[in-house]
Amino acid sequence: MKFTYTEKKDTRSGFGAGLAELADTHPNVVALCADLIGSLKMEKFIEKAPERFFQTGIAEANMMGLAAGLSITGKIPFTGTFANFSTSRVYDQIRQSIAYSNKNVKICASHAGLTLGEDGATHQVLEDIGMMKMLPGMTVINPCDYNQTKAATLAIADFEGPVYLRFGRPVVPVFIPEDMPFEIGKGIMLQEGTDVTIVATGHLVWESLIAADELEKEGISCEVINIHTIKPLDEEIILKSIEKTGKIVTAEEHNYLGGLGESIAGMLARKRPTRQEFVAVNDTFGESATPAELMKKYKIDSTAVKEAVKRILA
């Protein structure tokens, strides 16, 4: 495999490391948290800039209102809580106070998807990408590992406008080079191939690379693209790839309704109708189990990607 790893880290720690660096480099960055400092890895930021941290308590709607107000003063607010509470619980506040007036607020959401694991369905949000991408002007980012999450955290501080940054709880392979540039709205070609295009986001990028490596041993050549920015979508890299392969598999830790796959399907319907297979949760809630058990049961692991590739080739 072209990409290998020597360690595993959680993507939320990449966010914490990036935020801590911003404490030194961006004096206008402020952080807000809804009583989840440890879960969001905000300790280092607080150590460096305690006067720029606001503990809002378990009052997420108020946190979003505070963030909107702080942005009016020229601050760059980074809010931190679980993805479920960053979206479903506060959607009205985000729509009315942040998105509608294009406030420069960074909504940073940890514990996204099924891989939250044992906390169960009430905390495992699988519809957040759809909710956030439908808001006009909202940029939606879903990085794949520790290094890319840190790079994304740094990048959004210099980006003007509201951003939804989604990341996770489990430790996963760190395989993106630390010095790989992060450009909002630009996908990354990880592996070239000729038979089928695999477009993945978040934790499913590594699973797709595993699948592609195993399929190569069976004589199937897969092109693998990392789409870390779901909105705006990098249409160019996807269209260029399927001009070569003519087939596409999309892979994500999200409901197939409203996620990356649906964004790509809509784009292809308008620009180049192409056969597509979805690796995503099939319109259901999750349950309590380990991340690996859930990914297997709900068919969002490397085996599911391999099966989707074989379906589309058949």
Side-chain angles (χ1 to χ4, degrees):
M1 184 188 291
K2 178 182 175 183
F3 285 84
T4 58
Y5 72 94
T6 57
E7 63 177 337
K8 290 185 176 183
K9 290 184 178 181
D10 47 343
T11 50
R12 59 179 172 157
S13 288
F15 165 71
L19 190 65
E21 188 169 321
L22 291 173
D24 297 327
T25 61
H26 287 63
N28 283 332
V29 165
V30 296
L32 301 86
C33 188
D35 204 26
L36 288 166
I37 292 169
S39 293
L40 272 290
K41 305 297 183 181
M42 288 179 154
E43 299 95 335
K44 291 293 183 183
F45 181 91
I46 297 169
E47 288 177 16
K48 292 183 174 187
E51 75 285 357
R52 286 152 53 196
F53 174 75
F54 301 88
Q55 173 61 275
T56 68
I58 306 173
E60 292 87 350
N62 186 45
M63 179 173 69
M64 294 300 171
L66 284 170
L70 285 163
S71 72
I72 294 173
T73 71
K75 302 302 181 184
I76 307 171
F78 280 63
T79 68
T81 186
F82 290 175
N84 197 15
F85 309 144
S86 290
T87 55
S88 303
R89 182 171 289 181
V90 293
Y91 198 66
D92 180 59
Q93 283 73 26
I94 293 172
R95 184 185 188 274
Q96 303 297 85
S97 298
I98 296 173
Y100 178 63
S101 50
N102 200 43
K103 297 286 197 308
N104 192 31
V105 175
K106 317 306 174 184
I107 302 164
C108 304
S110 184
H111 293 56
L114 284 177
T115 51
L116 172 52
E118 293 84 352
D119 284 6
T122 57
H123 286 50
Q124 295 161 349
V125 67
L126 293 165
E127 61 276 8
D128 55 318
I129 289 173
M131 294 172 68
M132 299 305 281
K133 77 178 187 181
M134 285 191 295
L135 289 170
M138 182 68 68
T139 294
V140 179
I141 298 174
N142 187 40
C144 65
D145 75 349
Y146 172 94
N147 285 339
Q148 192 167 77
T149 307
K150 180 181 179 182
T153 303
L154 297 174
I156 65 175
D158 293 322
F159 177 84
E160 185 68 29
V163 174
Y164 179 60
L165 177 63
R166 181 191 206 248
F167 42 93
R169 175 191 186 186
V171 292
V172 294
V174 181
F175 61 97
I176 296 295
E178 190 174 3
D179 59 352
M180 180 176 280
F182 187 93
E183 188 174 354
I184 295 172
K186 292 295 181 182
I188 300 171
M189 179 67 69
L190 296 179
Q191 177 175 310
E192 295 191 3
T194 56
D195 294 328
V196 62
T197 299
I198 303 174
V199 178
T201 188
H203 293 147
L204 268 291
V205 175
W206 179 251
E207 298 295 321
S208 297
L209 286 170
I210 294 173
D213 188 54
E214 294 176 356
L215 287 164
E216 186 175 7
K217 296 170 184 174
E218 300 179 32
I220 299 171
S221 175
C222 299
E223 188 142 290
V224 182
I225 298 171
N226 172 8
I227 292 291
H228 51 69
T229 307
I230 294 166
K231 181 188 176 187
L233 182 67
D234 187 350
E235 298 181 357
E236 182 181 356
I237 194 172
I238 298 167
L239 290 169
K240 184 177 179 181
S241 179
I242 60 173
E243 284 296 329
K244 177 169 50 174
T245 66
K247 294 169 285 294
I248 186 168
V249 171
T250 54
E252 60 192 309
E253 187 183 352
H254 191 269
N255 193 338
Y256 82 91
L257 296 168
L260 170 68
E262 193 173 82
S263 288
I264 291 174
M267 182 271 290
L268 294 177
R270 295 189 301 271
K271 298 194 173 182
R272 192 195 186 281
T274 304
R275 187 176 172 196
Q276 179 176 348
E277 287 282 345
F278 292 73
V279 176
V281 177
N282 187 21
D283 195 23
T284 183
F285 290 101
E287 60 188 293
S288 180
T290 68
E293 288 169 338
L294 291 165
M295 291 179 77
K296 180 179 180 180
K297 177 173 180 176
Y298 291 88
K299 297 186 182 301
I300 56 167
D301 60 3
S302 61
T303 299
V305 176
K306 284 172 60 179
E307 291 172 352
V309 168
K310 290 183 177 181
R311 284 197 304 271
I312 206 164
L313 291 175

PDB file of all heavy atoms in Angstrom, residues 67-72 77 94 96-106 137-138 160-163:
ATOM      1  N   ALA A  67     -21.212  32.815  20.395  1.00  0.00           N
ATOM      2  CA  ALA A  67     -20.240  32.768  19.299  1.00  0.00           C
ATOM      3  C   ALA A  67     -20.595  33.779  18.212  1.00  0.00           C
ATOM      4  O   ALA A  67     -19.724  34.489  17.692  1.00  0.00           O
ATOM      5  CB  ALA A  67     -20.169  31.363  18.719  1.00  0.00           C
ATOM      6  N   ALA A  68     -21.871  33.854  17.874  1.00  0.00           N
ATOM      7  CA  ALA A  68     -22.301  34.826  16.868  1.00  0.00           C
ATOM      8  C   ALA A  68     -21.991  36.247  17.324  1.00  0.00           C
ATOM      9  O   ALA A  68     -21.498  37.071  16.546  1.00  0.00           O
ATOM     10  CB  ALA A  68     -23.797  34.660  16.596  1.00  0.00           C
ATOM     11  N   GLY A  69     -22.264  36.539  18.597  1.00  0.00           N
ATOM     12  CA  GLY A  69     -21.981  37.873  19.112  1.00  0.00           C
ATOM     13  C   GLY A  69     -20.502  38.193  19.129  1.00  0.00           C
ATOM     14  O   GLY A  69     -20.085  39.301  18.762  1.00  0.00           O
ATOM     15  N   LEU A  70     -19.680  37.234  19.523  1.00  0.00           N
ATOM     16  CA  LEU A  70     -18.235  37.446  19.546  1.00  0.00           C
ATOM     17  C   LEU A  70     -17.687  37.704  18.146  1.00  0.00           C
ATOM     18  O   LEU A  70     -16.758  38.502  17.967  1.00  0.00           O
ATOM     19  CB  LEU A  70     -17.543  36.229  20.172  1.00  0.00           C
ATOM     20  CG  LEU A  70     -17.656  36.119  21.694  1.00  0.00           C
ATOM     21  CD1 LEU A  70     -17.310  34.710  22.154  1.00  0.00           C
ATOM     22  CD2 LEU A  70     -16.758  37.139  22.383  1.00  0.00           C
ATOM     23  N   SER A  71     -18.274  37.051  17.142  1.00  0.00           N
ATOM     24  CA  SER A  71     -17.783  37.247  15.775  1.00  0.00           C
ATOM     25  C   SER A  71     -18.026  38.675  15.295  1.00  0.00           C
ATOM     26  O   SER A  71     -17.250  39.204  14.491  1.00  0.00           O
ATOM     27  CB  SER A  71     -18.448  36.248  14.816  1.00  0.00           C
ATOM     28  OG  SER A  71     -19.807  36.573  14.596  1.00  0.00           O
ATOM     29  N   ILE A  72     -19.078  39.309  15.811  1.00  0.00           N
ATOM     30  CA  ILE A  72     -19.373  40.694  15.421  1.00  0.00           C
ATOM     31  C   ILE A  72     -18.276  41.636  15.903  1.00  0.00           C
ATOM     32  O   ILE A  72     -17.994  42.662  15.282  1.00  0.00           O
ATOM     33  CB  ILE A  72     -20.745  41.119  15.991  1.00  0.00           C
ATOM     34  CG1 ILE A  72     -21.864  40.295  15.346  1.00  0.00           C
ATOM     35  CG2 ILE A  72     -21.000  42.608  15.737  1.00  0.00           C
ATOM     36  CD1 ILE A  72     -23.229  40.525  15.971  1.00  0.00           C
ATOM     37  N   PRO A  77     -14.639  32.795  16.674  1.00  0.00           N
ATOM     38  CA  PRO A  77     -15.047  31.803  17.668  1.00  0.00           C
ATOM     39  C   PRO A  77     -14.987  30.373  17.130  1.00  0.00           C
ATOM     40  O   PRO A  77     -15.448  30.091  16.022  1.00  0.00           O
ATOM     41  CB  PRO A  77     -16.496  32.190  17.984  1.00  0.00           C
ATOM     42  CG  PRO A  77     -16.721  33.511  17.321  1.00  0.00           C
ATOM     43  CD  PRO A  77     -15.775  33.579  16.177  1.00  0.00           C
ATOM     44  N   ILE A  94     -28.059  28.168  14.800  1.00  0.00           N
ATOM     45  CA  ILE A  94     -27.072  28.224  13.719  1.00  0.00           C
ATOM     46  C   ILE A  94     -27.680  28.882  12.481  1.00  0.00           C
ATOM     47  O   ILE A  94     -27.070  29.757  11.856  1.00  0.00           O
ATOM     48  CB  ILE A  94     -26.548  26.812  13.379  1.00  0.00           C
ATOM     49  CG1 ILE A  94     -25.731  26.250  14.545  1.00  0.00           C
ATOM     50  CG2 ILE A  94     -25.697  26.840  12.114  1.00  0.00           C
ATOM     51  CD1 ILE A  94     -25.346  24.791  14.369  1.00  0.00           C
ATOM     52  N   GLN A  96     -30.366  30.922  12.186  1.00  0.00           N
ATOM     53  CA  GLN A  96     -30.797  32.310  12.322  1.00  0.00           C
ATOM     54  C   GLN A  96     -29.659  33.263  12.696  1.00  0.00           C
ATOM     55  O   GLN A  96     -29.581  34.380  12.176  1.00  0.00           O
ATOM     56  CB  GLN A  96     -31.902  32.399  13.383  1.00  0.00           C
ATOM     57  CG  GLN A  96     -33.119  31.532  13.117  1.00  0.00           C
ATOM     58  CD  GLN A  96     -33.868  31.904  11.855  1.00  0.00           C
ATOM     59  OE1 GLN A  96     -33.522  31.454  10.777  1.00  0.00           O
ATOM     60  NE2 GLN A  96     -34.874  32.741  12.000  1.00  0.00           N
ATOM     61  N   SER A  97     -28.779  32.821  13.600  1.00  0.00           N
ATOM     62  CA  SER A  97     -27.775  33.741  14.148  1.00  0.00           C
ATOM     63  C   SER A  97     -26.417  33.654  13.463  1.00  0.00           C
ATOM     64  O   SER A  97     -25.620  34.582  13.564  1.00  0.00           O
ATOM     65  CB  SER A  97     -27.589  33.476  15.651  1.00  0.00           C
ATOM     66  OG  SER A  97     -28.791  33.700  16.347  1.00  0.00           O
ATOM     67  N   ILE A  98     -26.133  32.520  12.781  1.00  0.00           N
ATOM     68  CA  ILE A  98     -24.808  32.340  12.183  1.00  0.00           C
ATOM     69  C   ILE A  98     -24.876  32.268  10.661  1.00  0.00           C
ATOM     70  O   ILE A  98     -24.269  33.083   9.964  1.00  0.00           O
ATOM     71  CB  ILE A  98     -24.122  31.080  12.762  1.00  0.00           C
ATOM     72  CG1 ILE A  98     -23.870  31.257  14.263  1.00  0.00           C
ATOM     73  CG2 ILE A  98     -22.818  30.778  12.026  1.00  0.00           C
ATOM     74  CD1 ILE A  98     -23.357  30.009  14.973  1.00  0.00           C
ATOM     75  N   ALA A  99     -25.632  31.328  10.120  1.00  0.00           N
ATOM     76  CA  ALA A  99     -25.633  31.126   8.663  1.00  0.00           C
ATOM     77  C   ALA A  99     -26.311  32.273   7.918  1.00  0.00           C
ATOM     78  O   ALA A  99     -25.791  32.767   6.911  1.00  0.00           O
ATOM     79  CB  ALA A  99     -26.310  29.800   8.321  1.00  0.00           C
ATOM     80  N   TYR A 100     -27.460  32.704   8.416  1.00  0.00           N
ATOM     81  CA  TYR A 100     -28.237  33.725   7.707  1.00  0.00           C
ATOM     82  C   TYR A 100     -27.449  35.011   7.501  1.00  0.00           C
ATOM     83  O   TYR A 100     -27.532  35.649   6.448  1.00  0.00           O
ATOM     84  CB  TYR A 100     -29.533  34.013   8.485  1.00  0.00           C
ATOM     85  CG  TYR A 100     -30.397  35.081   7.877  1.00  0.00           C
ATOM     86  CD1 TYR A 100     -30.955  34.918   6.610  1.00  0.00           C
ATOM     87  CD2 TYR A 100     -30.655  36.277   8.562  1.00  0.00           C
ATOM     88  CE1 TYR A 100     -31.761  35.907   6.044  1.00  0.00           C
ATOM     89  CE2 TYR A 100     -31.445  37.266   8.012  1.00  0.00           C
ATOM     90  CZ  TYR A 100     -31.994  37.073   6.746  1.00  0.00           C
ATOM     91  OH  TYR A 100     -32.774  38.057   6.191  1.00  0.00           O
ATOM     92  N   SER A 101     -26.655  35.388   8.493  1.00  0.00           N
ATOM     93  CA  SER A 101     -25.860  36.617   8.382  1.00  0.00           C
ATOM     94  C   SER A 101     -24.385  36.339   8.100  1.00  0.00           C
ATOM     95  O   SER A 101     -23.553  37.242   8.212  1.00  0.00           O
ATOM     96  CB  SER A 101     -26.011  37.434   9.679  1.00  0.00           C
ATOM     97  OG  SER A 101     -25.776  36.619  10.813  1.00  0.00           O
ATOM     98  N   ASN A 102     -24.081  35.089   7.745  1.00  0.00           N
ATOM     99  CA  ASN A 102     -22.723  34.711   7.313  1.00  0.00           C
ATOM    100  C   ASN A 102     -21.671  35.080   8.350  1.00  0.00           C
ATOM    101  O   ASN A 102     -20.617  35.631   8.047  1.00  0.00           O
ATOM    102  CB  ASN A 102     -22.389  35.379   5.969  1.00  0.00           C
ATOM    103  CG  ASN A 102     -21.247  34.681   5.250  1.00  0.00           C
ATOM    104  OD1 ASN A 102     -21.185  33.456   5.197  1.00  0.00           O
ATOM    105  ND2 ASN A 102     -20.326  35.461   4.690  1.00  0.00           N
ATOM    106  N   LYS A 103     -21.947  34.729   9.609  1.00  0.00           N
ATOM    107  CA  LYS A 103     -21.012  35.022  10.693  1.00  0.00           C
ATOM    108  C   LYS A 103     -19.770  34.130  10.594  1.00  0.00           C
ATOM    109  O   LYS A 103     -19.834  32.969  10.183  1.00  0.00           O
ATOM    110  CB  LYS A 103     -21.668  34.790  12.052  1.00  0.00           C
ATOM    111  CG  LYS A 103     -22.853  35.692  12.359  1.00  0.00           C
ATOM    112  CD  LYS A 103     -22.430  37.099  12.674  1.00  0.00           C
ATOM    113  CE  LYS A 103     -23.536  37.893  13.364  1.00  0.00           C
ATOM    114  NZ  LYS A 103     -24.822  37.872  12.679  1.00  0.00           N
ATOM    115  N   ASN A 104     -18.645  34.649  11.019  1.00  0.00           N
ATOM    116  CA  ASN A 104     -17.364  33.940  10.936  1.00  0.00           C
ATOM    117  C   ASN A 104     -17.172  33.029  12.157  1.00  0.00           C
ATOM    118  O   ASN A 104     -16.255  33.199  12.957  1.00  0.00           O
ATOM    119  CB  ASN A 104     -16.222  34.957  10.830  1.00  0.00           C
ATOM    120  CG  ASN A 104     -14.911  34.308  10.457  1.00  0.00           C
ATOM    121  OD1 ASN A 104     -14.874  33.294   9.747  1.00  0.00           O
ATOM    122  ND2 ASN A 104     -13.818  34.876  10.922  1.00  0.00           N
ATOM    123  N   VAL A 105     -18.056  32.039  12.277  1.00  0.00           N
ATOM    124  CA  VAL A 105     -18.049  31.107  13.414  1.00  0.00           C
ATOM    125  C   VAL A 105     -17.638  29.725  12.928  1.00  0.00           C
ATOM    126  O   VAL A 105     -18.110  29.258  11.889  1.00  0.00           O
ATOM    127  CB  VAL A 105     -19.444  31.043  14.077  1.00  0.00           C
ATOM    128  CG1 VAL A 105     -19.475  29.980  15.173  1.00  0.00           C
ATOM    129  CG2 VAL A 105     -19.835  32.404  14.639  1.00  0.00           C
ATOM    130  N   LYS A 106     -16.768  29.069  13.685  1.00  0.00           N
ATOM    131  CA  LYS A 106     -16.302  27.721  13.348  1.00  0.00           C
ATOM    132  C   LYS A 106     -16.946  26.729  14.317  1.00  0.00           C
ATOM    133  O   LYS A 106     -16.632  26.708  15.514  1.00  0.00           O
ATOM    134  CB  LYS A 106     -14.770  27.643  13.437  1.00  0.00           C
ATOM    135  CG  LYS A 106     -14.041  28.859  12.837  1.00  0.00           C
ATOM    136  CD  LYS A 106     -14.449  29.166  11.406  1.00  0.00           C
ATOM    137  CE  LYS A 106     -13.798  30.466  10.940  1.00  0.00           C
ATOM    138  NZ  LYS A 106     -14.231  30.868   9.584  1.00  0.00           N
ATOM    139  N   GLY A 137     -24.235  29.082   2.417  1.00  0.00           N
ATOM    140  CA  GLY A 137     -22.981  29.689   2.854  1.00  0.00           C
ATOM    141  C   GLY A 137     -22.172  28.878   3.836  1.00  0.00           C
ATOM    142  O   GLY A 137     -21.055  29.281   4.189  1.00  0.00           O
ATOM    143  N   MET A 138     -22.706  27.742   4.305  1.00  0.00           N
ATOM    144  CA  MET A 138     -21.987  26.925   5.294  1.00  0.00           C
ATOM    145  C   MET A 138     -20.989  26.010   4.589  1.00  0.00           C
ATOM    146  O   MET A 138     -21.347  25.237   3.699  1.00  0.00           O
ATOM    147  CB  MET A 138     -22.962  26.079   6.104  1.00  0.00           C
ATOM    148  CG  MET A 138     -22.307  25.228   7.188  1.00  0.00           C
ATOM    149  SD  MET A 138     -21.592  26.189   8.548  1.00  0.00           S
ATOM    150  CE  MET A 138     -23.081  26.851   9.327  1.00  0.00           C
ATOM    151  N   GLU A 160     -12.824  32.995   5.815  1.00  0.00           N
ATOM    152  CA  GLU A 160     -13.876  33.911   6.231  1.00  0.00           C
ATOM    153  C   GLU A 160     -15.245  33.286   5.972  1.00  0.00           C
ATOM    154  O   GLU A 160     -15.589  32.966   4.832  1.00  0.00           O
ATOM    155  CB  GLU A 160     -13.763  35.232   5.472  1.00  0.00           C
ATOM    156  CG  GLU A 160     -14.744  36.307   5.918  1.00  0.00           C
ATOM    157  CD  GLU A 160     -14.478  36.827   7.326  1.00  0.00           C
ATOM    158  OE1 GLU A 160     -13.296  36.813   7.750  1.00  0.00           O
ATOM    159  OE2 GLU A 160     -15.440  37.243   7.999  1.00  0.00           O
ATOM    160  N   GLY A 161     -16.028  33.101   7.032  1.00  0.00           N
ATOM    161  CA  GLY A 161     -17.364  32.559   6.891  1.00  0.00           C
ATOM    162  C   GLY A 161     -17.601  31.377   7.817  1.00  0.00           C
ATOM    163  O   GLY A 161     -16.674  30.832   8.407  1.00  0.00           O
ATOM    164  N   PRO A 162     -18.866  30.965   7.951  1.00  0.00           N
ATOM    165  CA  PRO A 162     -19.195  29.866   8.867  1.00  0.00           C
ATOM    166  C   PRO A 162     -18.704  28.517   8.337  1.00  0.00           C
ATOM    167  O   PRO A 162     -18.785  28.240   7.136  1.00  0.00           O
ATOM    168  CB  PRO A 162     -20.725  29.899   8.933  1.00  0.00           C
ATOM    169  CG  PRO A 162     -21.151  30.542   7.652  1.00  0.00           C
ATOM    170  CD  PRO A 162     -20.081  31.530   7.313  1.00  0.00           C
ATOM    171  N   VAL A 163     -18.208  27.698   9.263  1.00  0.00           N
ATOM    172  CA  VAL A 163     -17.663  26.384   8.910  1.00  0.00           C
ATOM    173  C   VAL A 163     -18.179  25.345   9.892  1.00  0.00           C
ATOM    174  O   VAL A 163     -18.256  25.603  11.102  1.00  0.00           O
ATOM    175  CB  VAL A 163     -16.114  26.388   8.951  1.00  0.00           C
ATOM    176  CG1 VAL A 163     -15.564  24.971   8.719  1.00  0.00           C
ATOM    177  CG2 VAL A 163     -15.545  27.351   7.924  1.00  0.00           C
TER     178      VAL A 163
END
